Amino acid sequence: LEAELGSESFRAQDGTEARLGELLLAAGFLNEILVHAFIEMAKEKNLPLEHVLIRDGELSKSIVAQALKMQRRVRENRI
């Protein structure tokens, strides 16, 4: 995941947050349509996006965990 994001030159802009869907989109795990669909599903089911991605998105816990780790690193300006 980190290599994919590095190759895409993903960086959070000052004052913005690294969103989970954006990270997975930038890494090529999801397309934009799926990101929006899973966000809507999460809202409708009142569940965190990561739960919906694992349960309904066929993404492994490992991929989602790596994306969450990357999200923290971006938000802490460590990447």
Side-chain angles (χ1 to χ4, degrees):
L1 184 65
E2 187 171 352
E4 290 295 327
L5 291 175
S7 69
E8 293 291 325
S9 299
F10 184 87
R11 297 285 182 268
Q13 298 175 359
D14 290 341
T16 63
E17 295 185 28
R19 295 177 182 248
L20 183 59
E22 292 171 351
L23 290 169
L24 292 166
L25 176 66
F29 288 101
L30 297 175
N31 63 42
E32 195 168 337
I33 294 169
L34 287 174
V35 169
H36 291 293
F38 288 125
I39 290 171
E40 287 304 313
M41 247 189 267
K43 287 178 183 178
E44 289 172 6
K45 296 177 180 183
N46 199 29
L47 292 171
L49 179 58
E50 57 267 28
H51 291 262
V52 174
L53 290 168
I54 293 167
R55 190 181 71 188
D56 299 329
E58 300 181 20
L59 290 177
S60 70
K61 288 181 182 179
S62 173
I63 293 295
V64 174
Q66 288 177 3
L68 289 169
K69 181 179 175 182
M70 292 301 298
Q71 183 182 47
R72 275 191 306 277
R73 292 181 68 199
V74 170
R75 287 179 176 177
E76 294 169 354
N77 292 318
R78 292 179 18 203
I79 187 171

